[in-house]
Amino acid sequence: MDNLRELYQHVIVDHNKNPRNFHIMDHPSHQAEGFNPLCGDKVQVYLLIDANNLITDVSFQGNGCAISMASASLMTEALKGKAIQEADMFFENFHDLITSDKNIDVASLGKLAVLSGVKEYPTRVKCATLAWHTVHAAMHNNSNKVSTE
Ligand code: ZN
């Protein structure tokens, strides 16, 4: 397990230092911002969703702890090219992975599996899910401001 843990740590550090898709989008079709007052994490997400409900582009900006930034970065990679329904399912599985003992198909989550260790630190769950809640709000236009509290 130690090697796996080191690998996971390495991916989180890498995505925190060099976040992917870290920029403001010029003409997003959907956007929202999220805030996690417990930790101070802030994130803005931008989506380009086409007429077939496919996420053709996704980017983010923000600042916060390593977990929140790595999760947002990994999320942008995971969601590009997915349909909205697939993105919702993905978030559900990811949420279950870090909050429940349900038997999740970890392989289906790809690199997001590196955040599975967050389950042992309940206060960090909100850091790991902030970008996801924000994307959910953006996709479904519930609201364009999200707070984890
Ligand atoms: Zn945080």
Side-chain angles (χ1 to χ4, degrees):
M1 273 309 276
D2 280 353
N3 283 343
L4 190 62
R5 225 166 247 201
E6 259 171 47
L7 172 71
Y8 281 5
Q9 194 62 37
H10 179 79
V11 173
I12 292 168
V13 168
D14 174 41
H15 274 263
N16 178 47
K17 265 194 186 159
N18 307 296
R20 317 300 197 269
N21 306 300
F22 190 77
H23 57 85
I24 295 172
M25 198 182 288
D26 281 341
H27 301 288
S29 59
H30 297 69
Q31 61 178 302
E33 58 179 85
F35 179 48
N36 173 19
L38 262 186
C39 180
D41 311 315
K42 277 185 191 156
V43 64
Q44 292 93 39
V45 300
Y46 307 92
L47 296 164
L48 199 58
I49 297 174
D50 74 8
N52 299 315
N53 284 333
L54 273 182
I55 301 168
T56 56
D57 200 9
V58 46
S59 70
F60 81 106
Q61 280 242 302
N63 53 72
C65 67
I67 297 286
S68 66
M69 291 299 109
S71 181
S73 172
L74 288 160
M75 178 190 75
T76 60
E77 288 194 321
L79 293 188
K80 219 178 260 193
K82 281 199 166 56
I84 289 180
Q85 296 89 325
E86 288 177 289
D88 283 339
M89 286 256 297
F90 201 96
F91 177 30
E92 220 169 278
N93 283 334
F94 175 61
H95 197 262
D96 283 346
L97 174 76
I98 60 174
T99 59
S100 79
D101 290 319
K102 281 189 208 167
N103 212 351
I104 307 301
D105 177 10
V106 178
S108 73
L109 289 170
K111 277 195 204 160
L112 264 302
V114 301
L115 292 165
S116 59
V118 168
K119 190 157 75 173
E120 292 164 43
Y121 308 94
T123 56
R124 309 314 295 276
V125 166
K126 283 176 177 168
C127 302
T129 55
L130 175 65
W132 294 83
H133 284 296
T134 309
V135 144
H136 188 269
M139 287 194 301
H140 299 284
N141 284 330
N142 303 328
S143 150
N144 49 20
K145 277 202 195 279
V146 179
S147 174
T148 56
E149 289 304 300

